[in-house]
Every structure is written in C-alpha cells, then in structure tokens.
C-alpha cells in the first residue's frame, strides 16, 4: 500500500496571500506566504500554533520548485513525528 502524502494548495492560492494549515493526528503545520516566501511551521499537540512551541520551521520560495520542496519537507517531518 502506498503512503498517503501531504497535499497543499497551488502557487496561485498562496500568491493571493492565503495562509494554509493542516494536521494529521497531533502533527500540525501552517504555511504563511509573505514577500514571495512560504514560511512553514510544524508543531505537535492539540493546541493551536500560537499556544505551542514549534518543532521545526523552514522557508521556501513561492514558486513551483519551492512548493515541491515544501511538500517533501512536510512529509519528512511527518515521518519523524510517527517515529516518536
């Protein structure tokens, strides 16, 4: 059985300044676009990002390659979460 991967919206969605967040179990992530950069934060638990300590964060350019790298990074972070 193939692993399910995290999916995020396309470049146009973020180009309008929209924030995107998601979760799986207690693995959470939030993607915030600003000035052509996608800032991504990962945290664990039931609380929102403002009330939690980040486990990891990363920035990617707001382009096709940046989106692919961001998804790969998120999937890697989720794999790490599952091992804990």
């Amino acid at each position: 059985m193939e692993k399910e991967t995290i999916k995020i919206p396309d470049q146009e969605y973020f180009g309008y300044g929209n924030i995107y967040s998601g979760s799986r179990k207690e693995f959470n992530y939030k993607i915030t676009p600003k000035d052509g950069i996608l800032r991504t934060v990962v945290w664990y638990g039931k609380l929102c990002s403002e009330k939690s300590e980040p486990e990891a964060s990363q920035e990617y350019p707001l382009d096709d390659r940046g989106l692919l790298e961001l998804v790969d990074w998120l999937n890697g972070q989720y794999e790490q979460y599952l091992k804990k």
Side-chain angles (χ1 to χ4, degrees):
M1 183 158 103
E2 189 175 321
K3 290 189 293 188
E4 184 180 333
T5 61
I6 293 174
K7 294 180 175 63
I8 62 171
D10 61 16
Q11 187 176 345
E12 182 178 20
Y13 176 91
F14 292 112
Y16 284 111
N18 296 310
I19 295 171
Y20 184 79
S21 62
S23 63
R24 289 191 176 169
K25 301 180 184 180
E26 290 190 12
F27 172 83
N28 309 284
Y29 57 94
K30 183 176 183 179
I31 305 166
T32 305
K34 185 172 182 184
D35 299 327
I37 299 292
L38 296 170
R39 183 167 193 279
T40 307
V41 178
V42 169
W43 72 97
Y44 303 156
K46 296 180 181 181
L47 300 176
C48 66
S49 61
E50 288 80 17
K51 297 192 181 264
S52 300
E53 289 295 321
E55 287 291 323
S57 64
Q58 190 68 269
E59 293 183 347
Y60 295 93
L62 178 50
D63 58 23
D64 289 337
R65 183 176 176 169
L67 288 171
L68 291 173
E69 290 174 357
L70 189 157
V71 169
D72 286 344
W73 181 78
L74 275 179
N75 284 306
Q77 292 296 308
Y78 182 64
E79 290 298 318
Q80 288 181 20
Y81 162 77
L82 292 175
K83 293 176 183 177
K84 293 188 180 230

